[in-house]
Amino acid sequence: MQSYITTYTEKRYITYCLATLIIFLIPFVKINGNHFFLLSFVHQKLDLFFISFNTQEFYLLPLVLIILFLFIFFITTLGGRVWCAWSCPQTMFRVLYRDAIQTKLLKIRKNINNKQKQYEGNFIKNIIALVLFYCISLIATSNLLWYFIPPEDFFLYLQNPNEHLLLLGILFCTSLFLTFDITYLAEKFCIYVCPYARIQSVMFDNDTMQVLYDERRGGLIFNGKTKLHKKPLQGECIGCEACVSVCPTHIDIRAGMQLECINCLECADACSKVQEKFSRPSLINWTSAKAMQTQGKVKYLRFRTVAYFTVLIFAFLMLLLMGSKKEHMLLNINRSSELYHIEDKNGKKQVSNAYTFLFQNTDSKPHEYYFEVSLEGIENGLEIIRPKNAFVLQAGEKAKKIVILQATKELANESQKDVILPLYIKAYAKDDEKVVIFRESIFAYPKSTLLN
Ligand code: SF4
Ligand code: SF4
């Protein structure tokens, strides 16, 4: 015999477990010493997809945020508020607190199928539930912080609490706020605080997936917001209100789609169990308004979803392209305030220019660095006087080098004014041919009257 019972709630629980496991483990996974995602202000670096970027490469961060927003737009247009019930931490923690701790573990609430009824008393049990959830909040907040302070540093800092009072303050206060939010604000957060609930409605169209009561089959119960009957005069709804009592946001979905609905589909599951007794499918379905009207299928491929998806893929490719252009070393060049220096050596005038080179090893391993210089159209015109030898920089290390370049021959013969020559610098790691960058500067050469 065909079963009409839907199991959205169980599927949500499985999704929660997988999401929690992934979010929890990701900060511990490292490839070549880099994390999947880490925004570290202490180390001044951004790890993205196991590639480390320096603060000077933080231009990638806005692109990551753009991709995140585009993904939310795309998912909302396609699946409605699928994020709210299936991935939002607020909903996950509410299920953990209300259904697991309060109902199953401590039996403060008597029934998982009635989320409307408030249970008074049980003072001690409520305190235990709060303490238990605060402990879970500490773990959850730590998990969040690991995306900004890598776990290896985090646990080291906790061993020296006196030196890391700010971290402890953030940890305990955020956990306290999370406990307040989940145990007191509860679904009021979704209804009154969360901005996503408000903006998502403008992304909806007639083909967007929603949780809808099939009035054609079930019968008319509401006229607008006015409830006409508990049970329709005609239709398959038996007026049991199992769908109402199970709703965590305390709404009656038979009144139509509402801002408060987080798409958890618990009402659909509840109704499917009731209708199963009559060998009929649930009166509440996860479908689009158009599909329900036409009794057809949901149209997933449409202009808005394809457009969002295309832009999303384009932004993602841009991120990959920009990420692949990552430089494994950084070099900033500043000239000294003195335009040039003229030195008399054995009756011969020597011209030199001084620079400050700021090197940084942005790779995850040490390298030995040096550089070459050249002038446009003049071969072997310059000699590196300082530094004479290559130098080693550890991973992430910076070094300031005073660089003196000296002309090896007459570079120009201009009697009226000094000559500015384009200078090309190639800096590289001697032990890795991939690590190479090019910079441009100038070499100032004095007018001939100063040299003769
Ligand atoms: S659970 Fe189904 S049958 Fe019962 S009131 Fe809700 S819609 Fe009607
Ligand atoms: S109406 Fe249904 S889907 Fe919407 S929040 Fe209530 S139980 Fe969840």
Side-chain angles (χ1 to χ4, degrees):
M1 205 176 89
Q2 188 187 356
S3 171
Y4 292 105
I5 291 182
T6 56
T7 55
Y8 292 116
T9 308
E10 281 83 352
K11 285 176 188 142
R12 273 174 51 230
Y13 291 167
I14 294 169
T15 311
Y16 292 170
C17 291
L18 286 174
T20 306
L21 199 68
I22 292 168
I23 301 279
F24 196 83
L25 291 180
I26 278 181
F28 291 93
V29 182
K30 289 207 282 184
I31 295 179
N32 291 332
N34 302 323
H35 296 79
F36 178 79
F37 180 86
L38 172 71
L39 180 58
S40 169
F41 296 104
V42 174
H43 298 292
Q44 297 197 336
K45 67 168 191 163
L46 166 72
D47 284 2
L48 199 60
F49 304 132
F50 304 111
I51 300 171
S52 186
F53 295 92
N54 189 270
T55 37
Q56 298 188 15
E57 297 165 301
F58 270 20
Y59 56 83
L60 287 176
L61 208 55
L63 197 54
V64 174
L65 290 176
I66 288 171
I67 289 175
L68 187 73
F69 281 114
L70 279 173
F71 182 72
I72 291 174
F73 291 165
F74 168 64
I75 284 293
T76 309
T77 310
L78 189 71
R81 288 179 71 176
V82 66
W83 158 263
C84 296
W86 294 74
S87 318
C88 178
Q90 171 81 16
T91 314
M92 285 198 217
F93 286 128
R94 277 299 295 157
V95 168
L96 182 67
Y97 181 68
R98 183 195 53 227
D99 296 351
I101 296 177
Q102 282 192 312
T103 314
K104 294 281 179 194
L105 185 68
L106 297 172
K107 313 237 181 290
I108 300 168
R109 291 174 163 275
K110 301 292 173 248
N111 194 338
I112 204 168
N113 296 325
N114 194 339
K115 297 180 178 47
Q116 307 264 8
K117 195 170 171 190
Q118 295 302 320
Y119 295 92
E120 302 298 331
N122 288 314
F123 180 74
I124 301 289
K125 281 188 176 181
N126 276 317
I127 295 291
I128 295 172
L130 278 176
V131 173
L132 209 56
F133 190 79
Y134 185 68
C135 296
I136 293 169
S137 299
L138 284 173
I139 299 171
T141 308
S142 303
N143 190 182
L144 175 70
L145 289 172
W146 295 337
Y147 287 90
F148 301 92
I149 303 164
E152 57 271 21
D153 289 357
F154 182 85
F155 292 113
L156 217 60
Y157 294 167
L158 287 192
Q159 287 168 26
N160 296 302
N162 289 340
E163 288 175 25
H164 300 98
L165 290 176
L166 180 65
L167 172 69
L168 288 182
I170 292 172
L171 178 61
F172 288 119
C173 292
T174 310
S175 303
L176 205 60
F177 176 75
L178 182 60
T179 308
F180 166 75
D181 170 32
I182 299 300
T183 60
Y184 178 74
L185 277 184
E187 274 78 17
K188 288 191 273 301
F189 180 91
C190 311
I191 299 166
Y192 302 112
V193 183
C194 180
Y196 177 56
R198 267 133 202 93
I199 59 163
Q200 46 87 29
S201 54
V202 297
M203 287 178 241
F204 276 28
D205 57 28
N206 267 347
D207 288 300
T208 302
M209 297 275 283
Q210 301 173 42
V211 180
L212 296 171
Y213 166 70
D214 191 346
E215 201 171 87
R216 198 182 41 82
R217 264 184 60 213
L220 183 74
I221 292 168
F222 281 84
N223 182 8
K225 289 207 167 163
T226 315
K227 194 170 183 178
L228 302 174
H229 340 267
K230 191 172 188 298
K231 181 180 178 309
L233 302 174
Q234 269 187 333
E236 293 173 2
C237 174
I238 61 166
C240 64
E241 301 211 335
C243 55
V244 182
S245 57
V246 80
C247 178
T249 58
H250 302 194
I251 58 169
D252 189 334
I253 196 66
R254 296 172 302 170
M257 184 59 197
Q258 292 147 73
L259 183 80
E260 293 87 344
C261 176
I262 56 167
N263 280 213
C264 68
L265 288 154
E266 295 211 21
C267 52
D269 283 353
C271 188
S272 76
K273 287 181 193 128
V274 175
Q275 292 294 324
E276 167 78 2
K277 294 179 188 133
F278 306 96
S279 303
R280 299 190 294 240
S282 177
L283 294 170
I284 301 163
N285 295 291
W286 195 22
T287 184
S288 72
K290 198 168 173 187
M292 185 163 269
Q293 268 165 19
T294 59
Q295 292 295 294
K297 288 194 172 162
V298 178
K299 194 174 166 197
Y300 295 105
L301 282 180
R302 48 193 201 273
F303 177 75
R304 285 172 81 169
T305 53
V306 173
Y308 276 132
F309 186 70
T310 310
V311 177
L312 185 64
I313 293 293
F314 179 73
F316 193 69
L317 289 177
M318 285 264 295
L319 182 70
L320 285 184
L321 188 75
M322 287 164 78
S324 67
K325 288 209 164 112
K326 177 192 157 45
E327 293 181 330
H328 296 279
M329 65 176 290
L330 294 175
L331 175 58
N332 284 331
I333 296 173
N334 290 312
R335 284 181 51 84
S336 72
S337 52
E338 190 185 25
L339 195 57
Y340 43 71
H341 180 71
I342 305 171
E343 198 180 343
D344 205 331
K345 218 171 187 182
N346 304 328
K348 206 176 156 206
K349 292 276 186 344
Q350 305 276 19
V351 178
S352 60
N353 282 200
Y355 307 80
T356 304
F357 282 18
L358 182 66
F359 286 87
Q360 186 174 4
N361 178 359
T362 54
D363 207 359
S364 54
K365 52 184 187 245
H367 287 298
E368 190 181 12
Y369 293 100
Y370 204 53
F371 59 94
E372 292 167 6
V373 291
S374 60
L375 292 169
E376 195 174 76
I378 304 171
E379 253 184 62
N380 302 323
L382 292 175
E383 183 190 349
I384 302 170
I385 302 296
R386 184 179 165 186
K388 275 289 180 201
N389 299 312
F391 50 92
V392 174
L393 290 183
Q394 300 301 321
E397 194 186 352
K398 287 180 188 170
K400 209 184 247 184
K401 297 281 172 192
I402 301 298
V403 173
I404 311 281
L405 304 180
Q406 193 174 74
T408 54
K409 54 187 170 189
E410 188 181 58
L411 299 179
N413 192 359
E414 177 71 57
S415 58
Q416 297 301 313
K417 56 180 184 339
D418 296 335
V419 179
I420 303 300
L421 299 162
L423 172 70
Y424 300 104
I425 300 132
K426 176 189 173 188
Y428 54 89
K430 293 181 84 174
D431 48 8
D432 189 340
E433 61 182 26
K434 285 202 309 289
V435 183
V436 57
I437 55 172
F438 299 89
R439 294 285 183 269
E440 288 181 20
S441 183
I442 54 159
F443 187 88
Y445 196 76
K447 53 189 171 192
S448 54
T449 47
L450 288 175
L451 295 174
N452 297 326

